[in-house]
Amino acid sequence: MPQIFSSNANGIARFVLWGALFVGMFVALGGTALLRSSFLTGVGEAVAQPVPFSHKHHVGQLGIDCRYCHNGVETSSSAGLPATEVCMTCHSQLFTNAAMLAPVRASLASGRPLQWKRVNTVPDFVFFNHSIHVAKGVACETCHGEVDDLPLMARAEPLSMEWCLVCHRDPEPNLRPPQNIFLMHWKPPEDIDRIRKSLTSVLDIHPETMTDCYVCHR
Amino acid sequence: MARTAAVGRAPPVLRGRHDFPEISGRIAGVVLNGRLPRYFWAAFFLCFVLVLVLFYSITYLVAIGVGKLGIDMPVVWGTMISNFVWWIGIGHAGTLISAVLLLLRQPWRASINRFAEAMTLFAVAMAGLFPILHLGRPWFFYWLLPLPNTHMHWPQWRSPLVWDFAAIATYAIVSLLFWFMGLLPDLAMLRDRAKTRGAQLFYGILAMGWRGSARHWARYRVVYYLMAALATPLVVSVHSIVSLDFTFAITPGYHSTIFPPYFVAGALLSGFAMVLTIAIPLRWAFSVEDLITLRHMDNAAKLMIASGLIVAYGYASEAFFAWYSGEAWERTMMVQRAVGPYSTLFWIMLACNVGVLQLLWLRRVRLNMPALFAIAVIVNIGMWIERYVIVVSGPSRDFLPSAWGDQSLTWLDFGILFGSIGTFFALIFLFVRILPAITIFEVEELAEETGRVA
Amino acid sequence: MSATAETKPAAAQSPASLARRAADKDIWRSLEELADSGEFRRFIESEFPAIAARLPMQVNRRTLLKLAGASLAMAGLTACSEAESIVPYVRQPENIVPGRPLHYATALSSEGYGIGVIVESHEGRPTKIEGNPDHPSSRGATDAIMQAAVLALFDPDRSRVPLKNGEPAGYGDFLADMAKLSADWAASSGQGGALLVETTTSPTMKAQLEDLRSLYRKLRVYRHDPLAVPAGTAATAKLFGRALAPVYHFDRADVILSLDADFLGEGPGRLAYARNFADRRRVRRPGDTMNRLYAVETTPTLTGAAADRRKAVRPSEVESLAAALQAGLAAAPQWLAAAIEDLVGAGRNSLVVPGERQGPFVHAAAHGFNQRSGAIGTTVDFIAPPDALRVDGDLVALCDAIAGKEVDSVVVLGANPGFTAPADLDVRAAFSRLKLLVHWGLYRDETAQLAHWHVPAAHDLESWSDVSGHDGTVSIVQPLIRPLYGGRTAHEMIAALAGRFDVDAPGLVRETWAKRLDDGAWREALRDGLVAGSAAAPVAVETGTGLTDLKPEPVSQGLEVRFVIDPWLRDSRHANCAWLQELPRPLTKQVWGNAALISPATAGRLQLETGQVVNLAHGGRSIDAPVWIMPGHPDETVTLPLGFGRRTGSVAALAGGFDAYRLRTSDAMWFAGGVTLTARADTARLVTTQHHHAMEGRAIVRRASLDHFRERPDFVRDDVPPAPTESLYPDWPYDQEAWGMSIDLSACIGCMACVSACQAENNSPTVGPDECALGHEMHWLRVDRYYAGPPDDPETLFQPVPCMQCEKAPCEIVCPVNATVHTHDGLNAQVYNRCIGTRYCSQNCPYKVRRFNFLEYQPYGEEAGPEQAAHNPDVSVRSRGVMEKCTYCVQRISEARIHAQVDNRAIADGEVVTACQQACPTRAISFGNLNDKRAAVLREKGAPHSYALLEELNTRPRTTYLGRIRNPGNAAVAAEKGRTDG
């Protein structure tokens, strides 16, 4: 009776069995890594805007305060984007006929709003509030990165639940004195740990309450 | 010889005289030169139609929503749960036969363990569907698993549903391995007897190079018995854990310590009922009455009535403790179960699982195949009703009368139930077609031991 | 003025803080500014396509802005998850901060009377109605209908364009036709012209009508209001020599006798009356006193359910009882004699309230008694009727005039005679004879279909107007949003008839008040939501001719019919509002339909089952109606609720029910005798949300009489096992807040305002009649209604059941994915986006307060209609397969906490107010932080009769109840011993 399988069948069988095991492990590990890669989170990818607005120029070089444009940040859930008027307060005088500002002038003339592309976004079921973070010593920089280096805005952090929770469980490392909230490239003083400790008590921060689901999901 | 004598009036495990080539030839023949009777394919086609029904129902359920099932407020659990419990229960007989009876050295199990294990496997596969179909958002079922996710969020280990998930997964894996292990020698035999290249490759690969050497057999024994030992606790644990889904809740009619043992007994009852439902037509169809003999039927029937009595005791103690607890809602619920919206089902359940079952005391009935078959089917129906009654009667009459309400089943409930039954039997048919439904080598052993070898 | 000062948390309004916030806002100019920046069509199309797509073509661009506002909030908070773009304003209106609501004071009209409200507005999108604490008719409370106003505003079925003979036409064309009409009228001094108006209390409208009359001398004004009850003024005219309207002061009444009056559920003063009535029933210590209410009623009502002693009588018997009251003790039956004695004992603090539907004699007898007992001036005042209007008659008169060729062109303002006319009037025939029929209304209703011209009306929230409350207090009605569908106000219509086409509504209203209010006072009136000191002064009454020529009607034989108004649909004007259709009726718990109510005894005599269809015949007319066996209903009487049977409007068409107007004739508007009832074979589906009405002997609603309470203040502990104290699970630490709620069952009148408010606040979907029939309804808060005692005269018990927020919550331990979890402040949070729908939590909830989205109940994106603009942007809209439940309005808690934390202070008591608590007319619900020793809720929970529902299960509910205490007087003590006899 002829052999059904050649002599190296055993080797093949072993290879297949072990191979399957390794492939499985690779897929599992790769998957978990992929979920956190900028490939999915979009961290660091500059987003093209109708007007190539440069935070680098306005914040970094001109030193305009965040709140000049994002004026809801201290009082409202949404920081807000500047109305066309706000852009034109300066640009009615400066670069009055720069080509790149044409859309802005058009917007004011036609009364049609500018349509900025969204860079930082969270899902519907996440209720984020800017005012409370700013009030409790979380700086713009902490979540939005050093925007004054960015000619075009890009997402600085993954904004995943994991990322939120790391800070909500232990906010202290991300706190800074209220007067420095809107600073970029802020260098913490040596006694920062002591300051942060005192901030936690002064600002009445209770980490144990900050991981309740309804803090973000309602 | 002595063994058969000892058995006394009990019918013999094997009838007639056999030799090895004849046994293996007959059993392997069914598979290899697949000359299967027309009614086999007719029955298979019928089941296949039900498979399509299942696919349609599931698609509809997932696309439109669980609201199309009978469930409502307050009875938010329904047939998806009762189907799940029922199928899991059916699986148990297979494991009991193959593992427990093996360890107890019950040789008669030989000719029925193979398809009993297959039955277990397919039953568990069916059962596995329902916890997912039950979900409001089935596409997120994997949130029950402890996967490394970017939510930094894990399942809640206090919830019996998570334990369930583990219990079923373990059960499915162990059953599969145990079954495959037992198949190895027969697969090798099929490989050797196969004529066509295709069949040779197919069985050859599955046989994983089994050559039947003494060393192979020695290893086989060790592993097979170890696995039997491993599978045995599952017979008890799986359905106990399933029962915790209920006992963990404070709902009247759920919150009871009697559930674990009584669910296991129920499981065995329905399991053996299903074994008979399959075995009786099988032995007739392939005229292997001399291999699967009245002795097997007789023993299975005896096990049925044994577990049936435990179930009956469960019913009784449930009612007794409802009264003895002195809790208003427990009592009301029990009364409502007997006279309320689901009373009809309740009494049918008692008639099937307690009433009809008593006929098995009579040897005449046990050895009368049509009667035995009928009783087995009735018990299967009764056991499904039992699960459904348990699921719905508690919540429909719980603590605040203002919230009392009933549920009534829709076509979708039945579509999925009968669809799953059809799928189950379709799988059984395929199994019978491509794998030996009777363990060849063990039957040969058995023939030798019982001195039936010509 | 800083934006912070301007928008304190919406939910927590003390009148003071309200006034303060409103104070530093210039309301009407800010609205103008909103409207001025009107460049948002693309804005909407990008951010809010669902709404943009559904907006009418020639809509005022400014309209869009208001809707557009929503998108900013949604883009930031809850917008479509793939929010691709952010669209800022071009010119940001002053005082709008995206993401922060504003609040405006205005008034909603209820049967022509005004009830003051505060409206929450998100970027110009009104989302929530709250009562105006300063308004005498609201006192901060709302009812179900007011809550539903936002849904009605965004109702896509609303009429959107003027129709000429059913064809869309421009408003300009309409004005052109009106110009012709006014020219003709000017020539013929209004010969053949007539106006058909509804009940109105608007000074501006009255003034306009008077002007119109002086302009066209022969012009006639008719009034049609299917709910009109002229008997009261007729009686006062007889009794005191002039037509007057009573204003009751239940806070001063010790003993009250209601002669078929439902003052808790009906009438423009109902919210204030309920508040005053309940304030006299807050018993906390054995020493406290309580008023006593005797109720005579001809159909079960909220007032009867709240009464200490109740007597159900046939409608025609009320007159004879009034006569007995008139004649004094001797003539009265024993139980009435007891009541009279009690009333006399109370002297000037007694009060007899005549049923508004009753005839002049009953009113006269009641007021006569009040006068003799000196109650007038104490518990009741009389004022000039705020709805007084010089009219030439009612609909009947109009039809006669048309038949007599005296009228050939009619302008209908709001009324819908095509549906609500008495059955013996053939309005269609009459109107078809007209040369010109103009209809102005919110919907293209039955009358609009008859009309030559139909003009869309502006909703209350889109209108400039003014309106008086039940005590004459005038509120200025100001718009929250520009008319979505180009609707016009009645004032603009009348102005057009007067030939004034240049004017706008705000101008007309301002005109009316030019003399009385300078600009400062005017802004103040807008800010406060009422014109200070405009309440009508009580009229000193002296006995006029007395009752000489008023005689009681004889008691009629045979089956009688009592027509009632559906509590939510009213005369059917709200029939297209899904929230109201699906809100269970207080007593029957029926939804999406009505039924003919009969007593158990009558049902027994006629062998009728609930749901069986019967034929009711009267005066040659007959209707088929399903029967509902109603415990406590008077025998040999059938109650027919008006308002159902509409077939116009997509929502109204879904509803079941029959049209009782078809049996209602102009001579028997509220009561009819000699009705024949014949059973039919078939049955009809009656959808209800509660199927079981007895407590099964369980200690669910625990209750006692006042005397029993004085003997045993902690009667709620009698005959119930003590609550367990041990638990396997460790106790939670609550070192921050610990929220808790207490519900006073003595104060709860079962009015359902809380349920409606909850639905509005929490974006709860409506599911329609079929899903309700399957038991899939979605109200987070339900008001259970139990009966105790004999079915012919049971005690009716209400129990609001929100989530109990258990400290040992059965739901929390069974969720496999941690979707329902305990929070640091003691809530059972429900995480909708985590829930996968195992439904184990609901299975394990002893209170069954969880609700499951069995199907996709809230379409989103493209399928969603303008209704979604009414959504609260602070609450997720739940999708299919997700469990949801009450979380004490956690979004309000979070908002309050964020504001407190930003200011670095603790949350003050009363700063967080739940939606149900805020709406409740009787203040039955108190809520607060149990760790705050000064919290009001702590005082409530400290009362001796405070108990937790099903406490023996060791769930440790945070929501507790105060046992129900009634004051039936000594005679009934024996009968009242038991507390929990189901």
Side-chain angles (χ1 to χ4, degrees), chain C residues 702-753:
Chain C
R702 306 183 186 178
R703 54 194 213 283
S705 70
L706 182 60
D707 308 279
H708 183 69
F709 169 72
R710 285 177 172 154
E711 292 161 25
R712 296 194 48 82
D714 59 349
F715 66 89
V716 292
R717 308 264 166 276
D718 298 351
D719 319 335
V720 291
T725 51
E726 308 282 300
S727 171
L728 285 176
Y729 294 104
D731 290 348
W732 301 88
Y734 298 111
D735 35 26
Q736 302 293 307
E737 301 88 5
W739 302 109
M741 180 180 276
S742 174
I743 302 177
D744 182 354
L745 296 179
S746 318
C748 176
I749 57 171
C751 70
M752 304 296 288

Side-chain angles (χ1 to χ4, degrees), chain C residues 432-444:
Chain C
S432 60
R433 291 209 204 84
L434 291 172
K435 202 158 87 250
L436 174 67
L437 176 62
V438 178
H439 175 263
W440 167 89
L442 274 178
Y443 293 95
R444 192 186 170 190

Side-chain angles (χ1 to χ4, degrees), chain C residues 248-332:
Chain C
Y248 302 111
H249 305 290
F250 289 94
D251 48 346
R252 302 181 199 148
D254 297 335
V255 181
I256 305 153
L257 169 63
S258 145
L259 289 174
D260 196 26
D262 183 13
F263 56 85
L264 295 178
E266 287 284 329
R270 58 189 179 278
L271 296 176
Y273 292 164
R275 170 74 175 282
N276 290 343
F277 175 74
D279 282 347
R280 292 295 310 276
R281 299 175 78 82
R282 297 189 202 287
V283 182
R284 298 292 178 269
R285 283 177 311 283
D288 295 351
T289 61
M290 199 172 167
N291 63 8
R292 178 175 301 139
L293 169 61
Y294 296 85
V296 175
E297 57 182 7
T298 59
T299 185
T301 66
L302 292 181
T303 309
D308 301 297
R309 299 226 204 138
R310 174 182 170 281
K311 182 78 177 171
V313 300
R314 306 175 55 204
S316 62
E317 289 168 14
V318 177
E319 299 256 340
S320 58
L321 292 174
L325 183 70
Q326 186 67 19
L329 291 176

